[in-house]
Amino acid sequence: MINAEELELTEKLVHINRVAKVVAGGRRFGFAALMVVGDGDGHVGFGYAKAKEVPEAIRKANEIARKSLIFVPRKDGTIFYQTTGIQDASRVMLKPATEGTGVIAGAAVRAVIEAVGIRDILTKAHGSRNPINVVRATVNGLKDLESPEQVAARRGKAS
């Protein structure tokens, strides 16, 4: 488990959604916040939380994001190989890019990629573009990545 206290994490608010509950006297509003945190050195996490007030929703989402940190293996500012992350109807294709390409990504994917510390990557979101599912699909795709050493160990080969 990754200890969030030891890392210098940057926080990025990806999306705030106002939700309404209709009651007898009218509407009661609440807020949902989607946050991404990362150290720019391979660690990233995301959190989604709801509350009656925006600052409280952001605080809760930040707390959840810090608890959900994962490590992403990287090579020279990009990923080792192409992968696709899937969450419900959202699919996010992540493709390694040569140095100097930059981050080619939409807003939700870009937040995750920059938090990880990847500098060169090509991405494409297919299907649903719901920010919550796009962030989850991106994290799922990054979770599936393995370094050559991990692949060699899994296959019982010398790296």
Side-chain angles (χ1 to χ4, degrees):
M1 194 67 197
I2 301 161
N3 190 359
E5 282 80 46
E6 297 170 5
L7 303 172
E8 288 282 324
L9 297 175
T10 58
E11 304 162 1
K12 178 108 172 90
L13 181 61
V14 179
H15 186 71
I16 291 183
N17 190 27
R18 187 177 82 162
V19 293
K21 176 183 177 184
V22 180
V23 293
R27 294 182 186 94
R28 292 255 166 87
F29 294 106
F31 297 91
L34 178 62
M35 290 279 298
V36 171
V37 298
D39 66 348
D41 195 30
H43 295 96
V44 69
F46 77 96
Y48 179 69
K50 300 174 197 172
K52 295 284 181 204
E53 301 293 329
V54 174
E56 182 64 10
I58 291 171
R59 187 194 63 74
K60 286 164 69 174
N62 192 0
E63 220 170 85
I64 292 165
R66 288 171 180 272
K67 290 178 185 173
S68 72
L69 287 174
I70 61 165
F71 179 75
V72 179
R74 297 160 302 131
K75 172 187 148 200
D76 302 329
T78 189
I79 56 178
F80 285 100
Y81 52 88
Q82 182 173 334
T83 185
T84 302
I86 301 169
Q87 176 67 41
D88 298 336
S90 295
R91 291 171 113 69
V92 176
M93 182 268 296
L94 305 165
K95 191 174 179 181
T98 57
E99 196 170 329
T101 304
V103 177
I104 312 295
V109 178
R110 180 179 295 271
V112 177
I113 296 300
E114 288 177 348
V116 171
I118 296 173
R119 296 185 310 274
D120 303 299
I121 193 165
L122 302 167
T123 69
K124 178 67 181 154
H126 295 281
S128 170
R129 301 279 168 61
N130 177 326
I132 300 157
N133 285 343
V134 169
V135 166
R136 284 187 170 141
T138 306
V139 170
N140 289 343
L142 292 173
K143 247 187 226 179
D144 292 344
L145 289 173
E146 291 180 310
S147 68
E149 293 79 21
Q150 291 169 315
V151 174
R154 180 168 45 83
R155 295 178 60 204
K157 307 270 183 180
S159 55

